[in-house]
Amino acid sequence: MIARVRSLYRIFIPAIVAGLAALLGGSAFSAAAPPALIPRPVTMKIESGRFTITPATKILYTKGDARLADAADYLAGRLSLAFGKTMTAASTDAVDGPAGTIFMTTAGADPSLGKEGYSLVVRGDGVVIRAPKSAGAFYGGITLLQLALPGAFRAPAMVEGALGGRQTVRPPRPADQPNVSTAAPLKRMVVPCATVWDKPRFAWRGLLIDPARHFWTIDELKQYVDYLAIHKLNILQIHLTDHENWTVEVLRYPNLTPEKALNAADPRREKNQTYYHPARHYYTQDELKSLVAFARKRFVTIVPEFEMPGHCGGLLRGCPECGCTVDAKKVGGGEVCPGQETTYKILQNILDEMLAVFPSQYIHIGADECAKTNWSKCADCRKRMKDEGLESVTELHGYFVGRMSDYLQHKGRTLVGWDEILESGAKPGAIGMYWRSGTADELIRKAADHRQFLVITPTENCYFDYWQSPEKENEPQAFSHFVVTLRQAYALQPLPDHVKRIDPKLVLGVQANLWGEMMKSFPHVLYQTYPRACALCEVAWSPEPDGGRDYAEFFERLRTHLLRLDAAGINYRAPTDADRPRK
Ligand code: ACM
Ligand code: ZN
């Protein structure tokens, strides 16, 4: 342990000294050293001169666009946290930036920046962020903060609307310590003059969190969303249901969420619930609506995942009538019965309520790891297979997915499922998530031939519940024996060769998944997520340079970025010697 701490300090002391100087004075930032942005922008030119932001600086946006107001309000909110003084954004009729202000507008923006791109110009007499759409203006605001010193990210919205950070703890922090900001309020923020032109490589830039295995409060989910947003990630998939728990209030089926809806049969779950003991282990619809609204203001979409037809233990405890019928008796287990109409009726009733809570275009149904154990024995399943000419339980699984996909399409939404949805053939109206590194490659190849849209989230780069280092004795408990190092996370290849040949546009984007089985506390969740999510966000956002991404160059920028995480109070695993770029 001592050796580890020593090596950490060898790596990070220079960065910590530079960061502390910057935190204290705001003047240690040298315009000569290019600011270390993560994710790396498409183009950035640092110029001579600087602009100083103070609590008196006006933040303005062109009148008439509520979403632009969201982008400007968020920037004002973050500056308020950084300065420890309330700042607000105001609308204006201007379409050019008044002198001395930070100005956001969609007027005159370069249309080739698309839905999420922006240009950012910092001059001695002010800042102008122009974007065709307000999401771009939001990301321009994040880049502006990254151009300033790391303390610009001081104290995130730990509790919605609250100002200020809490205690001071130096990194590296144990995984179980509370998540707190280390930075003092700033007096001013010096930003080098710069011109940035930037837009994301992929539209889907996601993380998954799993409250079904370990329940997180709505405030914790909000924090998680806030941290995604400052990494220009835009999707949070929430794994809301599984064998262990059903975490969403459904008014029509209250049995799904008894008070303390824990799976008594899973002692590991009680053991892991060490951090706090919430009164209940499900979210009310109002809580979820408040999360969706919070995320929307940060241009993050909440994609809910309701597992079906497998991973359904929680569902079947509340709605046993969804189970198969074997020897004239209802059976439980993990899967619903795709043979009987009752199952579709109940699931669609549930989805109807959920669609009113989650406006996301994408609705995830999981559909992975379905053992189908009862299906070949169930009278209803056998009849369905005969009636529909289905030759195997795999085809029955495909039939189920197809029906749910049709239902969601009819409601104007798009089904997303893990790569198992492709086992019975491509599902062109849906989105497949490639997760089984190696195993599902052939499936993905075939599906791409049928122009299947995909999100890339392979275990070997994107499973953030896996260990971050093979030195397991120095790490908190992670999943199984698998390891995904920072280097592996950065090495993610978002375009499988075959898909690239057919049409790179079939890949909507990338995602990393933090499954909950081994998570002990919310700081542990953050520790598993960062800094690997810094690598993910760069793969998702930044264009891939000719010759590939350069881990050594990323690692250099990460030194500065970790100071931002410190200022924001985001727990993370400090890289060690083993993570250093190899010579
Ligand atoms: C998965 O990890 N079962 C998608
Ligand atoms: Zn059945």
Side-chain angles (χ1 to χ4, degrees):
M1 186 61 186
I2 289 174
R4 175 179 173 241
V5 170
R6 216 182 292 126
S7 73
L8 286 173
Y9 277 87
R10 211 168 339 114
I11 296 173
F12 284 102
I13 281 236
I16 287 168
V17 168
L20 282 179
L23 287 173
L24 290 173
S27 58
F29 195 87
S30 156
L37 269 50
I38 289 184
R40 188 171 42 75
V42 176
T43 63
M44 172 172 69
K45 197 156 147 254
I46 301 295
E47 289 139 358
S48 64
R50 48 187 61 191
F51 178 69
T52 302
I53 305 172
T54 72
T57 303
K58 285 204 167 74
I59 302 153
L60 299 176
Y61 60 95
T62 307
K63 207 176 258 170
D65 182 339
R67 298 293 279 144
L68 198 56
D70 284 346
D73 284 347
Y74 184 77
L75 180 61
R78 288 224 75 104
L79 289 172
S80 302
L81 293 164
F83 290 122
K85 294 210 162 68
T86 302
M87 293 171 74
T88 50
S91 66
T92 168
D93 290 324
V95 291
D96 282 312
T101 67
I102 300 171
F103 177 66
M104 282 184 178
T105 189
T106 51
D110 173 355
S112 69
L113 285 164
K115 286 190 186 143
E116 297 183 289
Y118 64 92
S119 69
L120 164 67
V121 178
V122 183
R123 296 274 176 264
D125 63 351
V127 175
V128 176
I129 298 170
R130 268 184 218 283
K133 299 280 175 203
S134 44
F138 178 85
Y139 295 125
I142 301 293
T143 298
L144 175 66
L145 293 168
Q146 287 206 359
L147 283 172
L149 65 170
F153 286 89
R154 171 182 184 265
M158 293 182 172
V159 177
E160 201 171 349
L163 282 184
R166 287 183 283 179
Q167 64 179 74
T168 296
V169 183
R170 289 258 159 270
R173 301 182 204 111
D176 272 3
Q177 280 205 2
N179 175 48
V180 290
S181 175
T182 58
L186 303 176
K187 292 204 163 33
R188 63 191 198 285
M189 218 183 267
V190 178
V191 186
C193 289
T195 303
V196 181
W197 190 96
D198 196 16
K199 63 179 189 176
R201 181 177 183 192
F202 292 110
W204 186 300
R205 305 182 300 278
L207 276 172
L208 172 148
I209 193 166
D210 174 13
R213 265 57 171 274
H214 193 130
F215 190 75
W216 311 112
T217 65
I218 280 288
D219 279 341
E220 286 165 336
L221 295 184
K222 285 178 179 170
Q223 267 184 42
Y224 205 69
V225 164
D226 203 46
Y227 302 160
L228 255 80
I230 61 176
H231 289 88
K232 300 187 175 124
L233 296 168
N234 66 349
I235 300 257
L236 179 62
Q237 178 178 334
I238 311 188
H239 187 74
L240 288 163
T241 71
D242 212 301
H243 294 313
E244 291 85 347
N245 202 1
W246 180 280
T247 65
V248 195
E249 175 186 48
V250 181
L251 300 176
R252 191 165 175 160
Y253 301 104
N255 290 344
L256 287 170
T257 49
E259 289 298 306
K260 285 265 179 197
L262 291 172
N263 180 4
D266 184 359
R268 193 182 57 192
R269 191 182 150 74
E270 278 288 15
K271 204 169 86 216
N272 275 352
Q273 203 82 36
T274 53
Y275 183 47
Y276 57 81
H277 297 275
R280 56 180 153 76
H281 291 83
Y282 66 88
Y283 307 109
T284 65
Q285 292 188 11
D286 281 347
E287 283 174 332
L288 289 166
K289 284 179 186 163
S290 84
L291 173 67
V292 167
F294 180 94
R296 181 175 151 81
K297 284 188 179 295
R298 286 151 181 79
F299 295 84
V300 171
T301 300
I302 303 292
V303 174
E305 181 183 1
F306 307 100
E307 274 273 15
M308 56 184 88
H311 284 269
C312 277
L315 173 77
L316 287 166
R317 277 194 297 282
C319 294
E321 58 273 43
C322 286
C324 278
T325 305
V326 178
D327 297 332
K329 282 205 283 290
K330 277 280 170 216
V331 290
E335 294 111 43
V336 295
C337 175
Q340 58 171 5
E341 277 307 303
T342 309
T343 303
Y344 297 97
K345 190 73 216 141
I346 291 177
L347 291 175
Q348 288 166 4
N349 286 341
I350 291 174
L351 282 178
D352 284 351
E353 271 191 41
M354 294 300 102
L355 297 186
V357 174
F358 298 102
S360 164
Q361 179 63 41
Y362 304 110
I363 303 292
H364 207 300
I365 67 149
D368 55 318
E369 299 177 317
C370 181
K372 314 174 188 89
T373 320
N374 295 317
W375 293 3
S376 48
K377 296 178 236 153
C378 165
D380 291 317
C381 285
R382 289 160 73 109
K383 177 165 186 329
R384 179 73 69 178
M385 287 170 70
K386 183 158 173 285
D387 291 352
E388 300 290 337
L390 306 169
E391 290 184 357
S392 65
V393 286
T394 302
E395 288 191 10
L396 181 57
H397 181 272
Y399 168 85
F400 173 88
V401 172
R403 277 200 55 178
M404 297 318 291
S405 178
D406 288 349
Y407 188 75
L408 287 169
Q409 260 183 36
H410 159 74
K411 298 276 171 178
R413 310 295 179 98
T414 305
L415 179 145
V416 189
W418 300 105
D419 57 41
E420 285 89 339
I421 68 167
L422 310 174
E423 281 176 351
S424 52
K427 298 280 176 300
I431 292 168
M433 271 196 170
Y434 168 57
W435 71 278
R436 290 177 292 177
S437 297
T439 316
D441 292 9
E442 184 57 27
L443 220 53
I444 295 301
R445 269 195 284 277
K446 283 198 188 135
D449 289 339
H450 290 87
R451 307 205 61 75
Q452 176 73 53
F453 283 103
L454 298 164
V455 172
I456 304 298
T457 175
T459 49
E460 66 186 13
N461 312 93
C462 297
Y463 268 44
F464 287 1
D465 56 331
Y466 290 5
W467 300 80
Q468 300 193 64
S469 157
E471 290 174 35
K472 298 195 170 116
E473 58 287 0
N474 289 328
E475 292 295 317
Q477 180 66 47
F479 187 79
S480 187
H481 61 281
F482 304 112
V483 178
V484 172
T485 61
L486 178 64
R487 185 182 282 104
Q488 279 165 266
Y490 197 64
L492 169 63
Q493 258 316 326
L495 296 179
D497 285 344
H498 184 72
V499 182
K500 198 159 143 184
R501 273 195 297 277
I502 303 266
D503 181 359
K505 289 206 169 51
L506 292 174
V507 171
L508 299 181
V510 296
Q511 178 167 302
N513 306 314
L514 187 67
W515 299 103
E517 289 97 327
M518 296 300 147
M519 297 301 104
K520 291 223 302 262
S521 65
F522 192 65
H524 186 192
V525 159
L526 296 173
Y527 182 94
Q528 291 298 120
T529 307
Y530 295 96
R532 290 184 291 192
C534 309
L536 173 83
C537 82
E538 183 141 311
V539 177
W541 181 282
S542 309
E544 189 157 337
D546 293 340
R549 281 184 295 275
D550 179 350
Y551 178 68
E553 187 269 337
F554 165 75
F555 195 81
E556 268 314 300
R557 275 182 288 124
L558 186 65
R559 291 170 190 267
T560 302
H561 191 72
L562 294 184
L563 298 171
R564 295 184 189 118
L565 302 195
D566 288 337
I570 302 175
N571 201 22
Y572 61 85
R573 175 180 180 273
T576 66
D577 268 345
D579 298 293
R580 272 171 175 275
R582 298 189 191 109
K583 293 276 176 317

